Amino acid sequence: MQQLLEGLNEAQTRAVVNTQGPTLVIAGAGSGKTRVLTYRIAYLLSQGIPSYKILALTFTNKAAKEMKERITALVGAQKAYDLWMGTFHSIFSKILRFESQTIGFNSNFTIYDTQDSKNLITKIIHDLNLDKEHYKPGVIHAIISKAKNDMISPEEYCNDKGIQTQDFHKKIPHVGTIYETYVKRCKLANAMDFDDLLLQTNYLFHLHPEILQKYQNRFEYILVDEFQDTNKSQHTIVKKLGFPQYNICVVGDDAQSIYSFRGAKIENILNFSKEFPNCNIFKLEQNYRSTQTIVNAANSVIQKNKYQIPKKTFSELDSGKPISVVCSQTDIEEGVTICKKIQELTLHSNSYNDIAILYRTNAQSRIFEEVLRKFNLPYKIYGGVSFFQRKEIKDVLAYYRVVINPRDEEAISRIINYPARGIGQTTIEKISVLAHRNSLSLWDIISKIELATDILNKATISKIISFRTLIQNFIQDLQIADAYSLGSRIIEQSGIFAELKADTSIEGKSRFDNIQELLNGIKEIVEQETEEIYLHNYIERIALLTDIDSDETEKLNKITLMTVHSAKGLEFEHCFIVGLEDGLFPSTMNKNNPHEIEEERRLFYVALTRAKQTATLSYASSRRKWGNLEICKPSQFINDIDSKYIEDKRIQGFSSNNYSFLNESDYQKKQIKPQTFNSFTKPTQSTKPIKIEHFEADAPEKIQSGQTIIHATFGKGIVKEIIGKYPDSVAHIHFSASGEKKLLLKFAKLKVVE
């Protein structure tokens, strides 16, 4: 026993061995949260608790896999064999497949991803003849998702006067109808979306107490990772399952609650001790990741929040370097400055994968991508198009889904005429209307398509029969052939293989290679698993993948570019937190709401605590927004840091004057949206700029309104207006050959001639 607990500090040990009753473990950044969860489960197993009596819930498959491997290493494979450990969605999907008939689904139900859901909502909006300008699928999907996470049924949604009033003012009064229709169409298709996996589990336990009791008796110990990220639906399930002993151990950090936009409720962790008055509370406050300076700086930031569980994290590592604050004149210069600093770091034998550039929004990656390419620095963007979201992969997976669940409406619509087999969109719409009018699935109609002679001609019916026969032949082998054998046969016999093979373009070859890689992945799983892996097992895994599960950042020696939200749970030797400007970070949308500004501050806290050795904070004095150069103020979060942890002198960014590829005029030509030129004065002469050689520019501060000047590229012009104070001043100049330009005087290089 003592051997098992070796290597844990005093606080971690207490959190591991106190296993009875409700337990709240507040784990600061880098404090060994995963270690505590792992050892607590291993400790339970070593005490003779059967593994099938333990339920461990995580937010990523990656976390679950790593924890199970560690537990197996500690107590042996036999003791850990039946452990129920996985994401909320994977565990509840498993329960729902066992109990599906009880709630009106078949066990082979499809799990819709976000795009599937949006596609279905788009069709419903069209079928209901609603205004597409007001009823945007992405917005409607977000509303429905929030309703489900808050456990609001379609009926409750439609009957809630407050909700209906809000929708009326937003000019979307029919959201309730869309929600009702969406739920009905999903059920007809034998499909659930991600939110349903939680909502339907709640329905199951509420409507069938005998089933709830079965799982209450099974799971004597429940452990939840990242509890600050749970929503109402997840919290309700955990509470129901834990009754009556409430041997529930939740681990998390309120200071890292950053997913309210996904429905996460920070109140779940803040109020846990009130909800369970007799709960044990343990605080893990020693940070094993970051230097003392970084930890102290992060503490000084987060203490500004009102709503939190007080703790004081500390580090016994080296004090480390002070936090650098880089001020660049422009967003372009910010990119150059950061690249120069990365070059300096890598001269001292630092690997590229030790470095991360973190930003508030995905759009900020563009400038850094351009500059990194120019500097020939390798990088990887985290959060791009997922492998499984690529068209050719989605097409193949749609075939797999239909073979597993022929009622899957979205998948059938996607493949019924791919590769092209002469079944046009008009035909698909006709059978869709017929299906929905009779509350049937598309497959129900296809199964009896011979009877549809009143709406389809014989040739079309024949083509649909051929498609049906193709799918039926695959279905026959569903329980016989393994996932690889059947999966590869579907790709070949459907015509997808030949279709992609015939495309010899670079893009076509890439798509063909992706299909090969898909099959390689299936083959690998089939060969590695001890149990037989069928197609439905594989599709289940793919459907439940989270963003981080498919990331390969750590395998690559490349600089990582990602949003702060994506960086949560990760760590890097060196972090550059960029775009720290008021209105950007914190976001304009959140800066006026006290609760939302606290979440933005928690987000900054997460960014800062990703760094192990150094943290660099960066902002620009000016940034282009919608084609216009705007003056920026540094983020309030920089001032939240105690000044003693920051370099006394704020570093001025590296000048980009020597980098012609980042010339201000080039940037203008590339980035200003076409419509912004409407307000510019059209050139009166030739639009071709005149290159002027060999002239000496005047000092920028001497340039004044009304002067006639010359520019090396744009030629002669008149200064119409100067906005701002030097060095942030911007000149509005009308060039006779090029029209009106906005130039940052610091870089403009102008000579006064009159």
Side-chain angles (χ1 to χ4, degrees):
M1 185 62 60
Q2 191 60 39
Q3 189 177 358
L4 178 65
L5 300 176
E6 286 180 2
L8 300 177
N9 65 33
E10 186 181 343
Q12 291 171 336
T13 302
R14 289 200 304 271
V16 165
V17 302
N18 289 278
T19 59
Q20 301 304 302
T23 301
L24 172 63
V25 181
I26 298 298
S31 62
K33 161 181 71 66
T34 303
R35 188 176 182 85
V36 165
L37 267 175
T38 301
Y39 275 74
R40 186 177 173 98
I41 294 170
Y43 182 80
L44 286 168
L45 294 171
S46 70
Q47 297 295 296
I49 305 298
S51 57
Y52 63 84
K53 290 285 188 180
I54 301 172
L55 171 64
L57 297 166
T58 66
F59 274 84
T60 68
N61 295 295
K62 183 179 178 182
K65 183 173 180 287
E66 290 177 354
M67 285 172 60
K68 194 162 186 178
E69 287 172 351
R70 292 189 198 179
I71 293 164
T72 301
L74 288 169
V75 299
Q78 189 173 355
K79 282 188 176 180
Y81 180 72
D82 280 333
L83 185 65
W84 278 56
M85 174 176 280
T87 64
F88 281 89
H89 293 94
S90 65
I91 293 294
F92 299 148
S93 171
K94 189 175 179 180
I95 290 174
L96 288 171
R97 292 198 190 278
F98 286 144
E99 314 294 344
S100 58
Q101 299 292 337
T102 313
I103 53 174
F105 286 83
N106 294 334
S107 61
N108 64 338
F109 61 79
T110 298
I111 300 172
Y112 278 176
D113 64 18
T114 300
Q115 194 55 55
D116 292 325
S117 296
K118 288 180 181 178
N119 290 343
L120 178 54
I121 289 169
T122 301
K123 291 175 185 175
I124 293 169
I125 292 169
H126 175 268
D127 293 346
L128 294 174
N129 200 28
L130 297 173
D131 185 356
K132 295 177 182 177
E133 290 299 313
H134 289 113
Y135 293 90
K136 298 183 183 298
V139 174
I140 305 302
H141 175 261
I143 293 172
I144 292 173
S145 178
K146 185 179 185 304
K148 288 184 176 183
N149 287 328
D150 290 339
M151 299 170 62
I152 300 171
S153 69
E155 295 75 20
E156 290 168 329
Y157 190 100
C158 291
N159 293 327
D160 189 303
K161 291 183 179 179
I163 292 175
Q164 293 306 305
T165 301
Q166 278 186 342
D167 286 352
F168 178 80
H169 288 307
K170 293 177 183 176
K171 298 181 179 179
I172 47 174
H174 301 292
V175 173
T177 305
I178 298 173
Y179 187 8
E180 283 181 327
T181 309
Y182 175 77
V183 169
K184 289 176 183 175
R185 294 272 286 270
C186 282
K187 198 155 190 177
L188 270 175
N190 192 34
M192 296 188 196
D193 60 26
F194 258 59
D195 301 315
D196 281 327
L197 297 177
L198 306 176
L199 185 63
Q200 293 293 345
T201 302
N202 269 304
Y203 285 162
L204 175 70
F205 290 162
H206 177 70
L207 298 172
H208 302 277
E210 73 285 358
I211 293 176
L212 171 60
Q213 190 174 15
K214 178 173 75 173
Y215 289 100
Q216 286 173 334
N217 293 336
R218 172 154 192 162
F219 302 127
E220 291 184 6
Y221 295 88
I222 300 173
L223 301 95
V224 184
D225 191 16
E226 305 285 7
F227 191 67
Q228 77 280 347
D229 295 334
T230 54
N231 58 34
K232 182 179 179 179
S233 195
Q234 290 164 326
H235 178 257
T236 303
I237 295 170
V238 169
K239 193 173 177 180
K240 283 178 179 176
L241 284 173
F243 181 86
Q245 297 98 333
Y246 289 124
N247 289 327
I248 302 172
C249 175
V250 302
V251 183
D253 183 8
D254 57 290
Q256 298 185 65
S257 179
I258 59 174
Y259 293 118
S260 65
F261 65 96
R262 293 182 183 172
K265 303 282 187 188
I266 191 174
E267 295 80 10
N268 291 347
I269 193 167
L270 293 179
N271 298 332
F272 189 86
S273 59
K274 298 176 184 175
E275 209 169 358
F276 304 99
N278 299 319
C279 85
N280 302 304
I281 301 177
F282 304 100
K283 295 181 181 181
L284 309 181
E285 296 175 303
Q286 184 172 355
N287 183 303
Y288 292 92
R289 174 188 300 156
S290 307
T291 65
Q292 294 179 36
T293 296
I294 291 171
V295 171
N296 292 337
N299 284 340
S300 68
V301 170
I302 204 64
Q303 70 180 13
K304 303 291 194 301
N305 274 9
K306 179 181 177 181
Y307 300 98
Q308 60 174 299
I309 298 172
K311 63 179 178 297
K312 184 73 173 178
T313 57
F314 65 93
S315 172
E316 293 184 351
L317 301 176
D318 294 338
S319 58
K321 295 180 179 180
I323 291 169
S324 299
V325 178
V326 176
C327 172
S328 303
Q329 294 302 320
T330 67
D331 46 0
I332 305 174
E333 187 181 310
E334 181 183 37
V336 175
T337 302
I338 298 304
C339 284
K340 295 290 289 185
K341 290 184 125 346
I342 289 172
Q343 284 183 322
E344 292 171 10
L345 280 173
T346 53
L347 285 175
H348 298 90
S349 302
N350 290 287
S351 300
Y352 290 119
N353 59 7
D354 288 335
I355 299 167
I357 299 173
L358 308 179
Y359 35 77
R360 178 65 178 81
T361 66
N362 277 308
Q364 292 169 256
S365 72
R366 183 196 55 78
I367 286 176
F368 291 97
E369 285 187 76
E370 289 182 2
V371 180
L372 286 164
R373 283 199 295 268
K374 296 295 182 180
F375 276 78
N376 201 28
L377 293 172
Y379 69 92
K380 179 185 185 300
I381 293 185
Y382 182 98
V385 178
S386 162
F387 177 81
F388 295 102
Q389 292 298 319
R390 293 167 185 169
K391 179 189 178 301
E392 62 275 13
I393 302 300
K394 291 273 286 185
D395 291 336
V396 172
L397 296 181
Y399 267 98
Y400 294 175
R401 284 165 45 179
V402 172
V403 173
I404 296 164
N405 172 26
R407 289 167 54 188
D408 186 335
E409 178 179 340
E410 283 305 300
I412 285 183
S413 299
R414 188 178 188 98
I415 66 167
I416 193 170
N417 196 43
Y418 178 78
R421 49 177 61 91
I423 304 172
Q425 190 59 40
T426 302
T427 299
I428 298 169
E429 288 177 3
K430 283 180 179 179
I431 62 176
S432 295
V433 169
L434 185 61
H436 301 147
R437 190 182 294 157
N438 295 280
S439 297
L440 297 170
S441 69
L442 286 184
W443 186 254
D444 291 331
I445 302 299
I446 291 170
S447 298
K448 299 177 181 180
I449 199 66
E450 293 90 342
L451 304 177
T453 53
D454 55 330
I455 61 169
L456 300 174
N457 60 46
K458 287 183 179 180
T460 301
I461 290 174
S462 177
K463 292 168 184 174
I464 295 174
I465 290 173
S466 295
F467 170 74
R468 183 183 70 196
T469 304
L470 179 73
I471 299 299
Q472 286 173 333
N473 288 337
F474 295 144
I475 292 173
Q476 289 177 1
D477 290 343
L478 195 54
Q479 302 299 329
I480 302 171
D482 64 53
Y484 177 77
S485 301
L486 182 55
S488 55
R489 187 157 72 85
I490 290 172
I491 290 173
E492 185 172 355
Q493 294 183 5
S494 66
I496 291 176
F497 182 89
E499 174 100 351
L500 295 178
K501 185 77 171 174
D503 187 352
T504 57
S505 67
I506 295 173
E507 294 81 6
K509 187 178 184 308
S510 176
R511 288 191 286 269
F512 185 77
D513 290 345
N514 286 336
I515 296 298
Q516 283 189 314
E517 187 57 36
L518 177 72
L519 288 174
N520 291 341
I522 300 174
K523 183 75 169 178
E524 189 175 313
I525 292 172
V526 169
E527 290 178 345
Q528 287 181 351
E529 294 292 332
T530 54
E531 299 178 357
E532 197 79 26
I533 298 294
Y534 296 105
L535 202 58
H536 67 272
N537 302 126
Y538 176 73
I539 285 294
E540 175 88 351
R541 293 191 184 199
I542 298 305
L544 295 170
L545 279 178
T546 62
D547 292 341
I548 200 166
D549 293 319
S550 57
D551 179 57
E552 298 181 352
T553 299
E554 60 192 46
K555 301 177 186 177
L556 302 170
N557 189 26
K558 296 183 177 183
I559 300 158
T560 298
L561 274 65
M562 58 172 42
T563 65
V564 182
H565 281 100
S566 298
K568 187 171 172 291
L570 304 178
E571 59 184 38
F572 302 89
E573 298 294 327
H574 310 281
C575 286
F576 294 88
I577 308 167
V578 301
L580 280 168
E581 297 138 29
D582 190 39
L584 186 56
F585 197 178
S587 168
T588 303
M589 294 185 293
N590 299 330
K591 62 181 293 187
N592 296 320
N593 183 304
H595 290 279
E596 290 174 350
I597 198 67
E598 289 210 352
E599 176 149 333
E600 288 284 310
R601 186 175 286 110
R602 292 195 295 269
L603 188 61
F604 179 65
Y605 174 87
V606 167
L608 197 54
T609 55
R610 298 312 93 195
K612 297 170 72 174
Q613 292 186 34
T614 69
T616 301
L617 313 181
S618 172
Y619 68 95
S621 298
S622 61
R623 183 176 297 274
R624 290 208 176 268
K625 297 177 182 177
W626 301 105
N628 297 314
L629 196 65
E630 294 186 5
I631 305 302
C632 306
K633 295 191 298 183
S635 169
Q636 66 187 79
F637 298 148
I638 297 176
N639 293 327
D640 282 347
I641 301 175
D642 192 317
S643 59
K644 64 185 175 185
Y645 305 121
I646 295 179
E647 286 181 332
D648 293 334
K649 184 180 178 181
R650 296 195 176 181
I651 303 168
Q652 293 298 307
F654 184 85
S655 176
S656 61
N657 281 352
N658 296 328
Y659 291 86
S660 59
F661 64 87
L662 294 172
N663 183 280
E664 178 69 19
S665 62
D666 291 341
Y667 182 82
Q668 283 184 320
K669 286 184 279 187
K670 287 181 182 178
Q671 301 308 319
I672 295 179
K673 295 192 174 186
Q675 60 267 31
T676 61
F677 284 101
N678 293 340
S679 62
F680 288 7
T681 305
K682 292 184 178 179
T684 55
Q685 299 176 23
S686 170
T687 58
K688 186 178 180 181
I690 301 169
K691 186 75 174 178
I692 300 173
E693 302 287 345
H694 310 300
F695 80 93
E696 187 174 342
D698 290 323
E701 56 265 35
K702 292 184 178 180
I703 306 300
Q704 299 177 12
S705 297
Q707 290 176 332
T708 301
I709 52 85
I710 56 171
H711 185 274
T713 300
F714 302 123
K716 195 172 183 180
I718 297 172
V719 181
K720 296 293 186 182
E721 186 182 14
I722 294 177
I723 298 176
K725 294 182 179 179
Y726 188 81
D728 300 320
S729 51
V730 177
H732 290 217
I733 306 172
H734 180 77
F735 293 97
S736 56
S738 307
E740 196 159 319
K741 303 287 183 184
K742 299 177 184 178
L743 303 179
L744 196 65
L745 277 178
K746 180 182 177 181
F747 304 127
K749 295 184 178 180
L750 305 173
K751 183 172 180 63
V752 179
V753 292
E754 293 178 28

